Amino acid sequence: LIEKLLTKLLPDMFQHTQDPMSALGPALHSAYKLMATQGGKMVVFQSVIPTSGPGKLPNRQSTIKDDTGCKLLQPGDQYYKNLALELSKSQIGCDLFFFTPKYIDVATISCMAKYTGGEVNHYFLDNFASNEVSRLQNDIFRTLTRNTGFEALMRIRCSKGISIDSHHGSFFLRAQDLLTLPNVDSDKSYTIKLKISDPKNYCTTKNLAKDGNYYATVQAGLLYTTFNGERRIRIVTKCCQITDQVSELYRQVDERASMNVIAKLAMEKAILEGIPKATQAIKSACSNILAKYALNSGGQSGGAGSTLMLPNTLLKFPLYCLAIVKNAIFRAETPVDQRITMIRKFESFSDVESGLWIHPNLYNL
């Protein structure tokens, strides 16, 4: 039935149409009503900006003067966010596929994926080539066949003295430590940034192990339903070494994880304050981290003739920061729809995937 619908019924139904209008909002609402009682996954294909009915959008790119690049990265209408929250309550995830070289306001429509555990994909018809076709085929196949959990909840707990500062990924944040995930699949990662909320309870005898080091514990519990209806829970507990000594911190720092978090924080800043401030934040983070190391190592933090001092754990850190700044996400010439699509995809990358995205491996052919 699905194959007949896609290959015959829909093409025959609209092959002679002359109406260019698009009523995406009513179509999504109708699909939501059909799925509300049982949940599941919704896959949306869109090639024009919605121009009719509830959820219609103006062409903001031609009417808004945006020198910083942040206004067009933010949703221009709350309709799709509100609908996404209704989908989240009914345990419905949404994946989006866009096909157009023209402005389609992905920033507004992508709320459907961001708050339901979905993903956003964008393809350029003006550069129609075999690689775009193969990429579309692979993405659709992966979307429909990968291991997916439904009706999921994730709760994150931390040791005393530590709390969650920020979250990154596709989900609805029900509470500071509780994520609602209508769909959760094997391609999604979720990033949290921790902060020291109570210095008095950070490094105490309760955190002291037999090896003489202090440890903090972070635990994530994922409750979900498998595709065959089994309710399961998966718990991941990570015991991390902590310290109140700066020198020890630099000896144990994870370069790849640091790069991942800095990039995601910069993308969040780009949406809120603009691309120039985001790139400046990346540069400031790099210089402040290395200056702090030089200061604690007895070296000079700057000035003519000073030598750049790098810990063994951060030898490639300046290179990675430069690669983030030069990434297409932060380039001025990147189309706004392409930029927000890449940001939405990057938010769900693991540290390994984000590393390859920022600084790809090169092979001698």
Side-chain angles (χ1 to χ4, degrees):
L1 178 60
I2 296 177
E3 183 178 356
K4 184 179 180 180
L5 174 67
L6 295 177
T7 60
K8 183 171 178 58
L9 295 180
L10 287 179
D12 292 347
M13 188 182 301
F14 297 103
Q15 64 178 341
H16 299 300
T17 183
Q18 299 293 324
D19 190 358
M21 305 292 282
S22 171
L24 177 62
L28 292 175
H29 193 76
S30 299
Y32 157 65
K33 288 296 184 181
L34 291 172
M35 302 174 63
T37 57
Q38 58 186 11
K41 173 183 284 191
M42 182 188 303
V43 182
V44 179
F45 299 87
Q46 184 73 7
S47 60
V48 294
I49 192 169
T51 54
S52 180
K56 66 179 180 180
L57 300 173
N59 190 336
R60 295 192 294 157
Q61 193 175 35
S62 61
T63 58
I64 295 180
K65 185 178 180 181
D66 189 10
D67 296 330
T68 62
C70 66
K71 294 180 181 178
L72 293 177
L73 294 177
Q74 300 171 4
D77 189 277
Q78 294 299 310
Y79 177 85
Y80 293 97
K81 180 179 179 180
N82 294 335
L83 182 56
L85 298 183
E86 293 298 321
L87 263 64
S88 182
K89 291 180 183 178
S90 300
Q91 303 298 335
I92 302 172
C94 183
D95 288 347
L96 301 173
F97 290 81
F98 296 107
F99 309 88
T100 176
K102 299 180 180 179
Y103 178 72
I104 198 173
D105 204 348
V106 174
T108 301
I109 305 175
S110 65
C111 291
M112 294 292 299
K114 178 172 177 58
Y115 296 105
T116 62
E119 65 181 19
V120 182
N121 298 280
H122 195 278
Y123 309 89
F124 295 92
L125 298 183
D126 61 340
N127 296 326
F128 196 78
S130 58
N131 62 329
E132 287 288 275
V133 175
S134 61
R135 188 165 70 92
L136 173 61
Q137 292 174 336
N138 293 334
D139 289 344
I140 294 178
F141 180 82
R142 184 64 180 167
T143 297
L144 298 178
T145 60
R146 64 190 168 198
N147 191 19
T148 303
F150 303 93
E151 302 177 10
L153 288 173
M154 180 184 291
R155 185 177 292 275
I156 304 170
R157 300 189 298 174
C158 308
S159 299
K160 286 186 177 181
I162 299 175
S163 61
I164 300 174
D165 185 41
S166 61
H167 312 71
H168 305 275
S170 296
F171 51 80
F172 173 65
L173 190 64
R174 185 183 296 185
Q176 187 69 4
D177 62 343
L178 185 62
L179 313 181
T180 300
L181 304 163
N183 287 175
V184 56
D185 58 69
S186 54
D187 291 339
K188 297 293 188 301
S189 295
Y190 307 94
T191 303
I192 60 170
K193 178 188 172 188
L194 302 177
K195 66 177 180 180
I196 302 174
S197 56
D198 187 0
K200 293 182 179 180
N201 291 320
Y202 178 58
C203 286
T204 64
T205 54
K206 295 181 180 180
N207 304 100
L208 185 62
K210 293 182 180 180
D211 61 0
N213 296 316
Y214 292 94
Y215 290 89
T217 304
V218 181
Q219 186 179 77
L222 178 66
L223 178 66
Y224 67 100
T225 302
T226 63
F227 69 93
N228 55 2
E230 295 180 2
R231 197 66 172 162
R232 295 181 180 178
I233 184 169
R234 175 174 291 182
I235 298 176
V236 178
T237 304
K238 179 71 173 178
C239 195
C240 308
Q241 184 176 343
I242 59 176
T243 182
D244 55 2
Q245 302 297 318
V246 176
S247 58
E248 182 65 22
L249 174 64
Y250 279 99
R251 278 196 293 268
Q252 301 293 337
V253 67
D254 188 322
E255 184 177 50
R256 193 166 57 187
S258 301
M259 175 189 63
N260 182 28
V261 173
I262 288 175
K264 290 180 179 180
L265 290 173
M267 292 172 194
E268 184 178 22
K269 194 174 189 69
I271 294 176
L272 297 177
E273 301 182 29
I275 301 299
K277 290 188 176 181
T279 55
Q280 183 58 44
I282 299 170
K283 298 174 184 177
S284 298
C286 180
S287 60
N288 291 340
I289 289 173
L290 298 182
K292 189 73 173 180
Y293 174 77
L295 185 63
N296 283 272
S297 300
Q300 299 178 355
S301 60
S306 61
T307 303
L308 178 63
M309 300 182 64
L310 297 173
N312 292 332
T313 52
L314 295 176
L315 292 178
K316 297 181 180 179
F317 185 68
L319 171 65
Y320 289 147
C321 289
L322 178 62
I324 295 173
V325 173
K326 290 183 174 294
N327 191 272
I329 294 176
F330 297 102
R331 291 178 189 169
E333 67 273 12
T334 303
V336 61
D337 280 344
Q338 183 182 358
R339 192 192 309 277
I340 193 63
T341 298
M342 290 188 291
I343 289 176
R344 293 292 177 238
K345 292 182 76 68
F346 196 96
E347 286 176 338
S348 297
F349 279 171
S350 66
D351 59 339
V352 176
E353 292 171 321
S354 63
L356 293 174
W357 181 283
I358 293 171
H359 190 263
N361 292 329
L362 299 178
Y363 299 95
N364 186 5
L365 300 179

